[in-house]
Amino acid sequence: MMQLDARQRAMLAEMGIRVWGPEYPAGEPDDALPGPPRGEEAAVMAAPVAVTRPATGPQTPAVVPVTPRALPADIAGMDWDALQQAVASCQACGLCRSRKNTVFGVGDRQARWLVVGEAPGENEDLQGEPFVGQAGQLLDNMLKAVGLSRQGSGAEAVYIANVLKCRPPANRNPQPEEVLQCEPYLRRQVALLQPQIILALGRFAAQTLLQHTVPDVATIPLGKLRGQVHRYEGVPVIVSYHPAYLLRTPQDKAKAWIDLCVAQAVLRGETAP
Ligand code: SF4
């Protein structure tokens, strides 16, 4: 059985996840899954991770599928600094009028992990950084549980970005045209970062990343996109819950932990992408 060290147990406790099984002293292998899971957790973990087309179900589309388009030439040739500057001055959609700051992304630009969220909220708009505030703290704890940090480098490195770089007013849902205009920036970030795994957090991130590879993705509940290895720009994608949702629905934190473990397994080549 895989093992958890004291640090991971503490982080899982901060996530609100109870871990079963024996304690292991610091210094034990930390490539761990909590175990053994029970009930619904066990069922989810027992389910094979597969690259299959999920069943459809009724749900209001959040992102209207759009025709794939080539990255605009001026974006396709940009390096990190040029891309960040382009975002900072972008007026391609109406969100530029109400933003206080653009939120480009944070983390090591050589990270193997990329976390993608939806859009900046009020705190992110004020600070110009993704995932701050309570949801950000929960994300940080989740990442710490698998040995990652937004300040980390090397094996601890992660890069965090959103689909939209500007805050939708009053935290309303992103509009299809806004996603259409902004997604090329994320695509260029992926091309520059060349991550080995992408964690898509929440409905909008999942629908945006999978809109060209999963038919009818806008009608598929998030839960049915979990437990599978998807692809975005050739990079394996694991879908999970948004930390803001987990704050409202703490009983699903264990599922988010499972998703992190699946992403770890894919990264290690333990699960065929
Ligand atoms: S949300 Fe994206 S496309 Fe819209 S103004 Fe901001 S950076 Fe530009």
Side-chain angles (χ1 to χ4, degrees):
M1 178 186 297
M2 302 175 86
Q3 301 171 352
L4 286 172
D5 65 17
R7 178 182 57 82
Q8 286 181 306
R9 285 174 181 275
M11 292 307 161
L12 288 172
E14 285 194 53
M15 286 176 63
I17 296 176
R18 183 181 166 192
V19 179
W20 293 274
E23 302 252 357
Y24 294 93
E28 289 288 327
D30 62 359
D31 54 343
L33 289 164
R38 298 176 181 174
E40 186 179 6
E41 239 185 296
V44 173
M45 291 194 70
V49 176
V51 188
T52 56
R53 179 179 172 176
T56 58
Q59 186 163 341
T60 304
V63 175
V64 176
V66 294
T67 304
R69 54 181 194 156
L71 204 59
D74 55 338
I75 293 179
M78 288 179 182
D79 62 13
W80 278 108
D81 291 343
L83 188 66
Q84 186 161 5
Q85 185 54 47
V87 167
S89 58
C90 180
Q91 299 184 353
C93 81
L95 296 181
C96 67
R97 290 192 288 274
S98 53
R99 73 184 176 212
K100 290 188 170 55
N101 289 292
T102 54
V103 180
F104 183 70
V106 68
D108 191 319
R109 293 175 174 180
Q110 296 183 324
R112 295 186 301 167
W113 288 73
L114 171 62
V115 174
V116 177
E118 174 184 322
E122 183 178 12
N123 291 325
E124 289 80 6
D125 181 48
L126 288 171
Q127 298 184 35
E129 181 168 330
F131 286 100
V132 295
Q134 269 193 303
Q137 286 176 6
L138 177 56
L139 176 62
D140 286 345
N141 286 334
M142 293 167 63
L143 295 174
K144 282 178 191 170
V146 288
L148 302 173
S149 164
R150 67 175 75 198
Q151 292 88 23
S153 60
E156 296 182 354
V158 61
Y159 194 85
I160 304 171
N162 283 315
V163 171
L164 293 187
K165 311 306 185 194
C166 302
R167 180 195 181 201
N171 294 340
R172 65 157 169 75
N173 289 337
Q175 298 299 304
E177 179 60 22
E178 294 160 359
V179 174
L180 178 69
Q181 293 295 337
C182 210
E183 191 261 352
Y185 294 127
L186 177 64
R187 211 173 344 146
R188 183 61 186 156
Q189 285 177 306
V190 170
L192 289 167
L193 186 66
Q194 297 187 313
Q196 294 177 26
I197 189 75
I198 297 174
L199 192 64
L201 300 182
R203 190 161 60 107
F204 280 93
Q207 292 181 1
T208 300
L209 296 183
L210 307 183
Q211 61 184 319
H212 304 309
T213 56
V214 177
D216 303 322
V217 67
T219 65
I220 301 173
L222 182 81
K224 292 191 181 301
L225 295 170
R226 296 178 54 247
Q228 304 171 60
V229 183
H230 304 281
R231 290 271 174 182
Y232 176 77
E233 299 290 304
V235 181
V237 175
I238 297 297
V239 171
S240 190
Y241 296 106
H242 194 283
Y245 165 84
L246 293 174
L247 289 173
R248 299 190 302 270
T249 319
Q251 63 269 28
D252 279 346
K253 287 180 180 177
K255 294 179 183 175
W257 167 246
I258 292 168
D259 297 333
L260 276 170
C261 293
V262 171
Q264 267 192 324
V266 172
L267 189 60
R268 292 176 179 147
E270 296 167 6
T271 302

PDB file of all heavy atoms in Angstrom, residues 137-161:
ATOM      1  N   GLN A 137      -6.426  29.350  -0.500  1.00  0.00           N
ATOM      2  CA  GLN A 137      -5.790  28.624   0.612  1.00  0.00           C
ATOM      3  C   GLN A 137      -6.079  27.135   0.526  1.00  0.00           C
ATOM      4  O   GLN A 137      -5.208  26.299   0.784  1.00  0.00           O
ATOM      5  CB  GLN A 137      -6.293  29.178   1.944  1.00  0.00           C
ATOM      6  CG  GLN A 137      -5.706  30.534   2.283  1.00  0.00           C
ATOM      7  CD  GLN A 137      -6.295  31.096   3.573  1.00  0.00           C
ATOM      8  OE1 GLN A 137      -7.059  30.434   4.269  1.00  0.00           O
ATOM      9  NE2 GLN A 137      -5.962  32.344   3.872  1.00  0.00           N
ATOM     10  N   LEU A 138      -7.310  26.805   0.178  1.00  0.00           N
ATOM     11  CA  LEU A 138      -7.646  25.390   0.052  1.00  0.00           C
ATOM     12  C   LEU A 138      -6.849  24.761  -1.094  1.00  0.00           C
ATOM     13  O   LEU A 138      -6.310  23.660  -0.947  1.00  0.00           O
ATOM     14  CB  LEU A 138      -9.146  25.218  -0.202  1.00  0.00           C
ATOM     15  CG  LEU A 138      -9.610  23.780  -0.436  1.00  0.00           C
ATOM     16  CD1 LEU A 138      -9.218  22.878   0.731  1.00  0.00           C
ATOM     17  CD2 LEU A 138     -11.120  23.732  -0.667  1.00  0.00           C
ATOM     18  N   LEU A 139      -6.755  25.471  -2.222  1.00  0.00           N
ATOM     19  CA  LEU A 139      -5.955  24.932  -3.334  1.00  0.00           C
ATOM     20  C   LEU A 139      -4.506  24.735  -2.893  1.00  0.00           C
ATOM     21  O   LEU A 139      -3.895  23.699  -3.195  1.00  0.00           O
ATOM     22  CB  LEU A 139      -6.018  25.868  -4.543  1.00  0.00           C
ATOM     23  CG  LEU A 139      -5.129  25.438  -5.719  1.00  0.00           C
ATOM     24  CD1 LEU A 139      -5.559  24.078  -6.272  1.00  0.00           C
ATOM     25  CD2 LEU A 139      -5.145  26.497  -6.824  1.00  0.00           C
ATOM     26  N   ASP A 140      -3.958  25.726  -2.182  1.00  0.00           N
ATOM     27  CA  ASP A 140      -2.570  25.590  -1.725  1.00  0.00           C
ATOM     28  C   ASP A 140      -2.403  24.360  -0.834  1.00  0.00           C
ATOM     29  O   ASP A 140      -1.408  23.638  -0.935  1.00  0.00           O
ATOM     30  CB  ASP A 140      -2.129  26.851  -0.967  1.00  0.00           C
ATOM     31  CG  ASP A 140      -1.872  28.026  -1.909  1.00  0.00           C
ATOM     32  OD1 ASP A 140      -1.750  27.795  -3.124  1.00  0.00           O
ATOM     33  OD2 ASP A 140      -1.807  29.169  -1.424  1.00  0.00           O
ATOM     34  N   ASN A 141      -3.378  24.120   0.040  1.00  0.00           N
ATOM     35  CA  ASN A 141      -3.299  22.939   0.911  1.00  0.00           C
ATOM     36  C   ASN A 141      -3.408  21.649   0.104  1.00  0.00           C
ATOM     37  O   ASN A 141      -2.730  20.664   0.391  1.00  0.00           O
ATOM     38  CB  ASN A 141      -4.396  22.993   1.972  1.00  0.00           C
ATOM     39  CG  ASN A 141      -4.091  24.015   3.051  1.00  0.00           C
ATOM     40  OD1 ASN A 141      -2.932  24.340   3.298  1.00  0.00           O
ATOM     41  ND2 ASN A 141      -5.125  24.544   3.673  1.00  0.00           N
ATOM     42  N   MET A 142      -4.269  21.661  -0.888  1.00  0.00           N
ATOM     43  CA  MET A 142      -4.400  20.481  -1.757  1.00  0.00           C
ATOM     44  C   MET A 142      -3.076  20.209  -2.471  1.00  0.00           C
ATOM     45  O   MET A 142      -2.613  19.073  -2.555  1.00  0.00           O
ATOM     46  CB  MET A 142      -5.512  20.712  -2.790  1.00  0.00           C
ATOM     47  CG  MET A 142      -6.902  20.788  -2.201  1.00  0.00           C
ATOM     48  SD  MET A 142      -8.122  21.437  -3.378  1.00  0.00           S
ATOM     49  CE  MET A 142      -8.072  20.201  -4.659  1.00  0.00           C
ATOM     50  N   LEU A 143      -2.467  21.273  -2.970  1.00  0.00           N
ATOM     51  CA  LEU A 143      -1.206  21.107  -3.701  1.00  0.00           C
ATOM     52  C   LEU A 143      -0.089  20.659  -2.760  1.00  0.00           C
ATOM     53  O   LEU A 143       0.744  19.820  -3.123  1.00  0.00           O
ATOM     54  CB  LEU A 143      -0.840  22.409  -4.419  1.00  0.00           C
ATOM     55  CG  LEU A 143      -1.810  22.839  -5.531  1.00  0.00           C
ATOM     56  CD1 LEU A 143      -1.439  24.209  -6.071  1.00  0.00           C
ATOM     57  CD2 LEU A 143      -1.840  21.804  -6.659  1.00  0.00           C
ATOM     58  N   LYS A 144      -0.080  21.235  -1.546  1.00  0.00           N
ATOM     59  CA  LYS A 144       0.940  20.819  -0.576  1.00  0.00           C
ATOM     60  C   LYS A 144       0.826  19.332  -0.269  1.00  0.00           C
ATOM     61  O   LYS A 144       1.828  18.659  -0.034  1.00  0.00           O
ATOM     62  CB  LYS A 144       0.792  21.615   0.725  1.00  0.00           C
ATOM     63  CG  LYS A 144       1.347  23.029   0.660  1.00  0.00           C
ATOM     64  CD  LYS A 144       1.098  23.738   1.987  1.00  0.00           C
ATOM     65  CE  LYS A 144       1.381  25.229   1.870  1.00  0.00           C
ATOM     66  NZ  LYS A 144       0.922  25.961   3.067  1.00  0.00           N
ATOM     67  N   ALA A 145      -0.387  18.832  -0.267  1.00  0.00           N
ATOM     68  CA  ALA A 145      -0.600  17.420   0.050  1.00  0.00           C
ATOM     69  C   ALA A 145       0.070  16.496  -0.965  1.00  0.00           C
ATOM     70  O   ALA A 145       0.336  15.336  -0.671  1.00  0.00           O
ATOM     71  CB  ALA A 145      -2.095  17.126   0.129  1.00  0.00           C
ATOM     72  N   VAL A 146       0.304  17.008  -2.163  1.00  0.00           N
ATOM     73  CA  VAL A 146       1.029  16.201  -3.153  1.00  0.00           C
ATOM     74  C   VAL A 146       2.414  16.795  -3.422  1.00  0.00           C
ATOM     75  O   VAL A 146       3.017  16.548  -4.464  1.00  0.00           O
ATOM     76  CB  VAL A 146       0.229  16.045  -4.475  1.00  0.00           C
ATOM     77  CG1 VAL A 146      -0.954  15.125  -4.268  1.00  0.00           C
ATOM     78  CG2 VAL A 146      -0.200  17.395  -5.032  1.00  0.00           C
ATOM     79  N   GLY A 147       2.886  17.616  -2.484  1.00  0.00           N
ATOM     80  CA  GLY A 147       4.261  18.099  -2.560  1.00  0.00           C
ATOM     81  C   GLY A 147       4.478  19.245  -3.513  1.00  0.00           C
ATOM     82  O   GLY A 147       5.606  19.471  -3.965  1.00  0.00           O
ATOM     83  N   LEU A 148       3.420  20.009  -3.818  1.00  0.00           N
ATOM     84  CA  LEU A 148       3.543  21.120  -4.764  1.00  0.00           C
ATOM     85  C   LEU A 148       3.286  22.449  -4.066  1.00  0.00           C
ATOM     86  O   LEU A 148       2.570  22.509  -3.077  1.00  0.00           O
ATOM     87  CB  LEU A 148       2.534  20.962  -5.906  1.00  0.00           C
ATOM     88  CG  LEU A 148       2.619  19.684  -6.732  1.00  0.00           C
ATOM     89  CD1 LEU A 148       1.451  19.608  -7.704  1.00  0.00           C
ATOM     90  CD2 LEU A 148       3.946  19.626  -7.490  1.00  0.00           C
ATOM     91  N   SER A 149       3.873  23.504  -4.617  1.00  0.00           N
ATOM     92  CA  SER A 149       3.680  24.843  -4.070  1.00  0.00           C
ATOM     93  C   SER A 149       3.803  25.858  -5.201  1.00  0.00           C
ATOM     94  O   SER A 149       4.646  25.711  -6.087  1.00  0.00           O
ATOM     95  CB  SER A 149       4.738  25.137  -3.002  1.00  0.00           C
ATOM     96  OG  SER A 149       4.800  26.523  -2.736  1.00  0.00           O
ATOM     97  N   ARG A 150       2.969  26.892  -5.133  1.00  0.00           N
ATOM     98  CA  ARG A 150       3.054  27.926  -6.173  1.00  0.00           C
ATOM     99  C   ARG A 150       4.385  28.679  -6.087  1.00  0.00           C
ATOM    100  O   ARG A 150       4.773  29.351  -7.031  1.00  0.00           O
ATOM    101  CB  ARG A 150       1.865  28.883  -6.105  1.00  0.00           C
ATOM    102  CG  ARG A 150       1.781  29.764  -4.892  1.00  0.00           C
ATOM    103  CD  ARG A 150       0.614  30.755  -4.994  1.00  0.00           C
ATOM    104  NE  ARG A 150      -0.679  30.128  -4.769  1.00  0.00           N
ATOM    105  CZ  ARG A 150      -1.849  30.664  -5.126  1.00  0.00           C
ATOM    106  NH1 ARG A 150      -1.881  31.824  -5.734  1.00  0.00           N
ATOM    107  NH2 ARG A 150      -2.977  30.043  -4.862  1.00  0.00           N
ATOM    108  N   GLN A 151       5.070  28.576  -4.944  1.00  0.00           N
ATOM    109  CA  GLN A 151       6.412  29.159  -4.843  1.00  0.00           C
ATOM    110  C   GLN A 151       7.498  28.123  -5.118  1.00  0.00           C
ATOM    111  O   GLN A 151       8.692  28.439  -5.101  1.00  0.00           O
ATOM    112  CB  GLN A 151       6.651  29.732  -3.440  1.00  0.00           C
ATOM    113  CG  GLN A 151       5.815  30.945  -3.079  1.00  0.00           C
ATOM    114  CD  GLN A 151       4.471  30.567  -2.463  1.00  0.00           C
ATOM    115  OE1 GLN A 151       4.330  29.482  -1.924  1.00  0.00           O
ATOM    116  NE2 GLN A 151       3.491  31.439  -2.577  1.00  0.00           N
ATOM    117  N   GLY A 152       7.114  26.904  -5.383  1.00  0.00           N
ATOM    118  CA  GLY A 152       8.070  25.810  -5.500  1.00  0.00           C
ATOM    119  C   GLY A 152       8.806  25.795  -6.834  1.00  0.00           C
ATOM    120  O   GLY A 152       8.406  26.432  -7.812  1.00  0.00           O
ATOM    121  N   SER A 153       9.896  25.053  -6.848  1.00  0.00           N
ATOM    122  CA  SER A 153      10.653  24.846  -8.084  1.00  0.00           C
ATOM    123  C   SER A 153      10.989  23.365  -8.180  1.00  0.00           C
ATOM    124  O   SER A 153      10.799  22.602  -7.226  1.00  0.00           O
ATOM    125  CB  SER A 153      11.923  25.695  -8.100  1.00  0.00           C
ATOM    126  OG  SER A 153      12.749  25.349  -6.987  1.00  0.00           O
ATOM    127  N   GLY A 154      11.493  22.976  -9.325  1.00  0.00           N
ATOM    128  CA  GLY A 154      11.837  21.571  -9.515  1.00  0.00           C
ATOM    129  C   GLY A 154      10.620  20.673  -9.358  1.00  0.00           C
ATOM    130  O   GLY A 154       9.549  20.952  -9.903  1.00  0.00           O
ATOM    131  N   ALA A 155      10.773  19.614  -8.569  1.00  0.00           N
ATOM    132  CA  ALA A 155       9.680  18.654  -8.403  1.00  0.00           C
ATOM    133  C   ALA A 155       8.492  19.248  -7.656  1.00  0.00           C
ATOM    134  O   ALA A 155       7.388  18.700  -7.700  1.00  0.00           O
ATOM    135  CB  ALA A 155      10.192  17.418  -7.647  1.00  0.00           C
ATOM    136  N   GLU A 156       8.706  20.377  -6.956  1.00  0.00           N
ATOM    137  CA  GLU A 156       7.620  21.004  -6.195  1.00  0.00           C
ATOM    138  C   GLU A 156       6.885  22.075  -7.004  1.00  0.00           C
ATOM    139  O   GLU A 156       5.965  22.703  -6.505  1.00  0.00           O
ATOM    140  CB  GLU A 156       8.163  21.635  -4.918  1.00  0.00           C
ATOM    141  CG  GLU A 156       8.758  20.643  -3.941  1.00  0.00           C
ATOM    142  CD  GLU A 156       9.229  21.316  -2.671  1.00  0.00           C
ATOM    143  OE1 GLU A 156       9.194  22.562  -2.617  1.00  0.00           O
ATOM    144  OE2 GLU A 156       9.627  20.604  -1.742  1.00  0.00           O
ATOM    145  N   ALA A 157       7.277  22.255  -8.238  1.00  0.00           N
ATOM    146  CA  ALA A 157       6.768  23.388  -9.010  1.00  0.00           C
ATOM    147  C   ALA A 157       5.379  23.120  -9.576  1.00  0.00           C
ATOM    148  O   ALA A 157       5.049  22.010  -9.978  1.00  0.00           O
ATOM    149  CB  ALA A 157       7.734  23.706 -10.155  1.00  0.00           C
ATOM    150  N   VAL A 158       4.592  24.161  -9.595  1.00  0.00           N
ATOM    151  CA  VAL A 158       3.283  24.131 -10.250  1.00  0.00           C
ATOM    152  C   VAL A 158       3.031  25.515 -10.827  1.00  0.00           C
ATOM    153  O   VAL A 158       3.488  26.521 -10.275  1.00  0.00           O
ATOM    154  CB  VAL A 158       2.171  23.741  -9.243  1.00  0.00           C
ATOM    155  CG1 VAL A 158       2.068  24.733  -8.103  1.00  0.00           C
ATOM    156  CG2 VAL A 158       0.819  23.613  -9.939  1.00  0.00           C
ATOM    157  N   TYR A 159       2.356  25.550 -11.971  1.00  0.00           N
ATOM    158  CA  TYR A 159       1.941  26.832 -12.532  1.00  0.00           C
ATOM    159  C   TYR A 159       0.422  26.880 -12.467  1.00  0.00           C
ATOM    160  O   TYR A 159      -0.258  25.869 -12.734  1.00  0.00           O
ATOM    161  CB  TYR A 159       2.426  26.992 -13.982  1.00  0.00           C
ATOM    162  CG  TYR A 159       2.312  28.412 -14.470  1.00  0.00           C
ATOM    163  CD1 TYR A 159       3.314  29.333 -14.207  1.00  0.00           C
ATOM    164  CD2 TYR A 159       1.185  28.843 -15.160  1.00  0.00           C
ATOM    165  CE1 TYR A 159       3.202  30.653 -14.621  1.00  0.00           C
ATOM    166  CE2 TYR A 159       1.069  30.155 -15.588  1.00  0.00           C
ATOM    167  CZ  TYR A 159       2.081  31.060 -15.317  1.00  0.00           C
ATOM    168  OH  TYR A 159       1.965  32.372 -15.725  1.00  0.00           O
ATOM    169  N   ILE A 160      -0.105  28.038 -12.094  1.00  0.00           N
ATOM    170  CA  ILE A 160      -1.548  28.188 -11.890  1.00  0.00           C
ATOM    171  C   ILE A 160      -2.052  29.335 -12.770  1.00  0.00           C
ATOM    172  O   ILE A 160      -1.493  30.435 -12.749  1.00  0.00           O
ATOM    173  CB  ILE A 160      -1.861  28.502 -10.409  1.00  0.00           C
ATOM    174  CG1 ILE A 160      -1.280  27.408  -9.500  1.00  0.00           C
ATOM    175  CG2 ILE A 160      -3.354  28.643 -10.195  1.00  0.00           C
ATOM    176  CD1 ILE A 160      -1.345  27.751  -8.013  1.00  0.00           C
ATOM    177  N   ALA A 161      -3.080  29.058 -13.533  1.00  0.00           N
ATOM    178  CA  ALA A 161      -3.644  30.080 -14.418  1.00  0.00           C
ATOM    179  C   ALA A 161      -5.145  29.868 -14.528  1.00  0.00           C
ATOM    180  O   ALA A 161      -5.686  28.832 -14.142  1.00  0.00           O
ATOM    181  CB  ALA A 161      -2.996  30.009 -15.798  1.00  0.00           C
TER     182      ALA A 161
END
